[in-house]
Amino acid sequence: MEGAGYRVVFEKGGVYLHTSAKKHQDPDSLIAGVIRVVEKDNDVLLHWAPIEEAGDSSQIFFSKKDTSGGDSCTSEEEPTFDPGYEPDWAVISTVQPRPRHSEPTRGAEPSSPRGSWAFSVSLGELRSIRRSKPGLSWAYLVLVTQAGGSLPALHFHRGGTRALLRVLSRYLLLASSPQDSRLYLVFPHDSSALSSSFHHLQLFDQDSSNVVSRFLQDPYSTTFSSFSRVTNFFRGALQPHLEGASPDLPPAPDDEPEPGFEVISCVELGPRPAVERAPPITEEEWTGHVGPEGRLQRVPELKARIFSGGLSPSLRREAWKFLLGYLSWEGSTEEHKAHVRKKTDEYFRMKLQWKSVSPEQERRNSLLHGYRSLIERDVSRTDRTNKFYEGPENPGLGLLNDILLTYCMYHFDLGYVQGMSDLLSPILYVIQNEVDAFWCFCGFMERVHGNFEESQETMKRQLGQLLLLLRVLDPPLCDFLDSQDSGSLCFCFRWLLIWFKREFPFPDVLRLWEVLWTGLPGPNLHLLVACAILDMERDTLMLSGFGSNEILKVSPWLPRRHIRHINELTMKLSVEDVLTRAEALYRQLTACRELPHNVQEVLGLAPPAEPQSPSPPASPLPLSPTRAPPAPLPSADTATATQPDSSLEILPEEDDDEEGVDS
């Protein structure tokens, strides 16, 4: 919108001031308004006005910044808003708003009490912008001026923080602070000012002015060379606006700040290639890979075939033991038999540990009692519609219970966490042997145990990586999700936690997992599977015309909003379609020559840019099987082959009829 001497480049309603410091705001303390970015007289202004004063934007007059020195924000009184404080309900600064010297607008009396809260500030006066912590009610921004005062916090009840920051990035350089990932430092698009800012931040060991010169000439390559320690997508943006394209800003940052800056660059992807999946591996084809002494031959070729087509149902019982690291790809038949005898003895030693605990002992062992109660509750509702687990006296339920309790003895630090029964159920269904299913389950947990750690760092990291991939693949979809308060992708939490176990029909889960276990074509194919699902549903989401109240709801699984339509996709997805699209997305990304380094890291195309911390890693282990050196094989006289009845085959040999299996 343009007028005499000014142009409104951004306008967003539903931006409130919370004028009370109370946690629960009463209606009178909420002032609804409109935020605008306006170009006027060679200056760019950020203007907020209450609804009754906003009126017709064409009738609003804006003033240039007051150069007379009068600025109430420079009061000696310390503002009560603490930028480092993370309240459950953000409150505004008690610093009085800047007196405005603009002409009164239509629609409000000059003496209107609410009108006194309106403010207009030049972008050149901003020093920093603080963004609210993710998940705290309405998102808000706090603007801090060069004088050190903070303007009233702007609460975006209808979303729009990312859109506003994107517009501001056209005129300013926004970079997250090394000390606080939610604080954006504001730099002008000016070489001398930027040099001074780099000098004060001590970002470079070399001359700052030289860095700025190269940065402005070639921002992409210079940024990646200078900011080499890129570790997290949530760490800010330092990319100037080029050729009218709005640079993408980072999503809400993680709770734990990390040093350094993250470069967000616009990536031009080529056309998406066509992908066709192959038929499943047959028994005859598998036999062709079995060499002398039962050793598998041409293993990389075999894994590639599993990735492209999956396995025939009759092969899964044997092949899954290799995919999950229970049996060595290089071992002979005799070596495998000796290994199974050793692992059988080890399993029952651990099982005996909890079975020998008397009820009186368990009353004094709250940890074991808690695990047992939680396992019994989860097992009783795991895949009960599947004929393998249906019925009150089904032996499969008892084996689920025993394996999970034994895993608590195997991994004392982790124990049992809700969701593990979902990972074990398909394995036991396929393997149909207690001991073998336990060790296959352990192999699976080696890959995903970080998902169940109390710190949730692995889940946060994966959601961040997923958002990074989605931002490169489909920025408009990211913007839409952000506008619906779903930009954190928390509705994907369950997908990643239990590897889509509840999103696909049971037979499709078997196919999906065996493909993911190959570790091909990279270590994070499950993230591309999530991208593929969102890509398949993007038009339905973005063109449905749903209002935010219809799209969003509170999930019983997560204490955050997520998309109802996504939840309704459960059991309606085709695994072959999803895998085809996921592979196409991978090829499309890898064909890009200017793929950012952090995206290459996620796809396994480049090593991490920063050394691993000496503390235990929070990220999941690579999806490709990683095995410790094989232990010495026991001698025939020490190997124990005796097995209690519960480890014997629990179903007779029969052809798998997956079409009849319910989830």
Side-chain angles (χ1 to χ4, degrees):
M1 184 176 298
E2 298 185 5
Y6 74 90
R7 184 169 71 96
V8 178
V9 296
F10 175 82
E11 183 176 84
K12 177 67 178 177
V15 181
Y16 285 70
L17 299 188
H18 294 186
T19 60
S20 171
K22 297 180 180 179
K23 180 175 182 179
H24 301 287
Q25 304 280 320
D26 57 80
D28 293 336
S29 66
L30 300 179
I31 303 178
V34 178
I35 190 73
R36 296 184 177 95
V37 177
V38 181
E39 294 179 351
K40 184 178 186 296
D41 298 335
N42 298 321
D43 196 4
V44 183
L45 306 174
L46 185 67
H47 177 87
W48 181 90
I51 290 295
E52 65 266 23
E53 193 172 82
D56 183 355
S57 59
S58 64
Q59 302 298 325
I60 294 180
F61 295 87
F62 298 92
S63 64
K64 293 176 67 67
K65 63 182 179 181
D66 180 16
T67 57
S68 62
D71 187 351
S72 62
C73 287
T74 60
S75 169
E76 294 297 327
E77 182 182 3
E78 185 71 18
T80 59
F81 185 88
D82 179 6
Y85 176 55
E86 299 178 354
D88 289 337
W89 197 278
V91 297
I92 64 170
S93 169
T94 56
V95 176
Q96 292 299 317
R98 172 191 301 274
R100 297 181 307 126
H101 303 282
S102 58
E103 301 179 29
T105 61
R106 299 182 181 181
E109 295 296 328
S111 59
S112 170
R114 294 199 169 195
S116 64
W117 287 97
F119 64 84
S120 179
V121 60
S122 170
L123 298 190
E125 295 184 50
L126 297 180
R127 184 172 69 179
S128 62
I129 301 174
R130 171 168 290 279
R131 199 171 183 178
S132 58
K133 183 178 179 181
L136 294 181
S137 187
W138 293 300
Y140 65 86
L141 296 176
V142 177
L143 309 176
V144 179
T145 65
Q146 295 287 353
S150 59
L151 296 171
L154 302 172
H155 295 256
F156 291 74
H157 288 204
R158 302 176 190 170
T161 56
R162 186 191 300 275
L164 176 58
L165 290 175
R166 183 176 299 106
V167 172
L168 295 181
S169 68
R170 300 178 187 175
Y171 309 97
L172 303 167
L173 289 177
L174 301 180
S176 62
S177 166
Q179 286 75 34
D180 187 343
S181 58
R182 295 189 294 111
L183 181 65
Y184 294 102
L185 306 179
V186 176
F187 305 128
H189 279 300
D190 177 80
S191 179
S192 59
L194 189 59
S195 298
S196 176
S197 301
F198 285 161
H199 174 73
H200 288 297
L201 287 175
Q202 298 180 352
L203 297 177
F204 306 99
D205 296 331
Q206 52 190 302
D207 179 61
S208 297
S209 60
N210 182 40
V211 172
V212 172
S213 175
R214 291 188 293 109
F215 179 83
L216 296 178
Q217 293 175 6
D218 187 1
Y220 183 86
S221 59
T222 305
T223 302
F224 273 94
S225 61
S226 300
F227 297 89
S228 60
R229 296 296 179 254
V230 180
T231 58
N232 194 313
F233 177 69
F234 294 113
R235 293 301 177 246
L238 195 59
Q239 175 86 358
H241 178 66
L242 296 177
E243 300 180 2
S246 298
D248 296 323
L249 288 170
D254 209 343
D255 294 346
E256 293 296 330
E258 295 179 10
F261 290 79
E262 173 65 17
V263 179
I264 306 303
S265 56
C266 298
V267 179
E268 286 291 336
L269 297 179
R272 188 173 300 173
V275 172
E276 292 186 6
R277 291 189 53 77
I281 296 180
T282 62
E283 291 189 52
E284 181 180 1
E285 186 176 355
W286 178 273
T287 304
H289 285 268
V290 179
E293 300 180 345
R295 300 182 191 273
L296 290 173
Q297 299 176 331
R298 307 185 306 281
V299 172
E301 176 186 331
L302 183 59
K303 288 184 179 180
R305 275 289 291 118
I306 298 174
F307 166 76
S308 63
L311 295 160
S312 297
S314 58
L315 283 175
R316 286 183 174 137
R317 187 175 181 184
E318 178 181 1
W320 279 25
K321 298 174 185 178
F322 294 94
L323 288 170
L324 290 169
Y326 177 40
L327 299 181
S328 168
W329 292 94
E330 297 79 19
S332 66
T333 301
E334 291 303 317
E335 290 172 342
H336 290 157
K337 290 180 179 179
H339 179 72
V340 169
R341 288 195 296 269
K342 175 178 179 294
K343 287 298 184 180
T344 299
D345 180 66
E346 186 178 345
Y347 171 78
F348 284 108
R349 288 178 184 274
M350 290 186 292
K351 184 175 181 178
L352 184 62
Q353 292 176 0
W354 63 266
K355 288 191 72 72
S356 61
V357 175
S358 66
E360 183 178 355
Q361 286 178 303
E362 187 171 326
R363 283 196 296 269
R364 296 189 293 270
N365 190 333
S366 58
L367 186 62
L368 178 60
H369 179 73
Y371 286 150
R372 187 190 294 272
S373 300
L374 184 58
I375 290 172
E376 289 177 355
R377 184 184 67 184
D378 285 358
V379 164
S380 66
R381 56 190 184 187
T382 299
D383 292 325
R384 296 308 303 277
T385 58
N386 187 320
K387 66 179 182 180
F388 189 81
Y389 297 109
E390 66 184 2
E393 302 298 329
N394 192 300
L397 300 180
L399 290 180
L400 280 177
N401 182 85
D402 290 358
I403 292 173
L404 292 172
L405 274 171
T406 305
Y407 185 78
C408 294
M409 302 294 105
Y410 173 78
H411 200 317
F412 284 104
D413 291 339
L414 186 60
Y416 177 80
V417 181
Q418 187 176 15
M420 290 183 180
S421 61
D422 280 289
L423 301 185
L424 173 60
S425 170
I427 294 176
L428 182 59
Y429 167 83
V430 168
I431 302 300
Q432 300 184 13
N433 176 282
E434 180 181 1
V435 174
D436 294 345
F438 171 81
W439 290 113
C440 287
F441 174 69
C442 290
F444 195 4
M445 288 300 300
E446 280 298 310
R447 306 159 190 261
V448 299
H449 70 88
N451 291 4
F452 299 94
E453 291 175 350
E454 186 176 2
S455 68
Q456 296 279 291
E457 288 303 315
T458 296
M459 291 303 301
K460 294 175 186 177
R461 186 182 303 276
Q462 290 182 87
L463 287 172
Q465 292 172 333
L466 175 58
L467 185 56
L468 169 60
L469 293 175
L470 195 62
R471 169 59 64 186
V472 174
L473 289 167
D474 197 341
L477 178 58
C478 285
D479 294 340
F480 170 80
L481 294 174
D482 186 67
S483 70
Q484 302 300 327
D485 291 336
S486 299
S488 61
L489 302 183
C490 283
F491 57 86
C492 301
F493 185 93
R494 188 177 72 186
W495 296 2
L496 306 183
L497 179 71
I498 54 176
W499 276 27
F500 310 93
K501 166 62 165 54
R502 301 185 185 180
E503 320 311 321
F504 290 92
F506 197 89
D508 283 0
V509 171
L510 309 183
R511 173 61 47 79
L512 175 65
W513 283 7
E514 64 197 16
V515 170
L516 295 177
W517 289 336
T518 64
L520 300 173
N524 286 310
L525 180 61
H526 67 299
L527 299 181
L528 289 171
V529 168
C531 289
I533 296 174
L534 293 174
D535 184 70
M536 293 170 68
E537 298 299 322
R538 78 180 302 275
D539 290 341
T540 303
L541 292 172
M542 299 180 68
L543 304 178
S544 60
F546 293 152
S548 59
N549 291 335
E550 295 171 301
I551 294 178
L552 302 172
K553 70 175 184 178
V554 178
S555 165
W557 181 273
L558 293 170
R560 298 185 182 184
R561 289 177 167 185
H562 71 309
I563 297 182
R564 179 187 304 167
H565 174 73
I566 295 297
N567 282 354
E568 293 175 349
L569 294 176
T570 300
M571 304 303 165
K572 299 178 182 178
L573 298 169
S574 165
V575 71
E576 291 297 330
D577 292 344
V578 171
L579 286 172
T580 299
R581 189 163 304 213
E583 184 178 356
L585 293 176
Y586 176 84
R587 294 186 183 182
Q588 184 182 26
L589 288 169
T590 54
C592 178
R593 295 185 177 182
E594 296 184 348
L595 201 63
H597 189 274
N598 49 359
V599 180
Q600 296 183 41
E601 290 178 16
V602 175
L603 299 177
L605 303 176
E610 192 171 37
Q612 294 292 333
S613 168
S615 59
S619 57
L621 297 177
L623 303 186
S624 54
T626 54
R627 292 166 34 82
L633 297 177
S635 58
D637 55 342
T638 60
T640 305
T642 356
Q643 304 178 14
D645 293 340
S646 61
S647 71
L648 300 178
E649 310 300 331
I650 59 178
L651 285 182
E653 290 288 348
E654 61 181 6
D655 293 333
D656 288 19
D657 183 12
E658 292 187 351
E659 298 300 326
V661 179
D662 297 325
S663 58

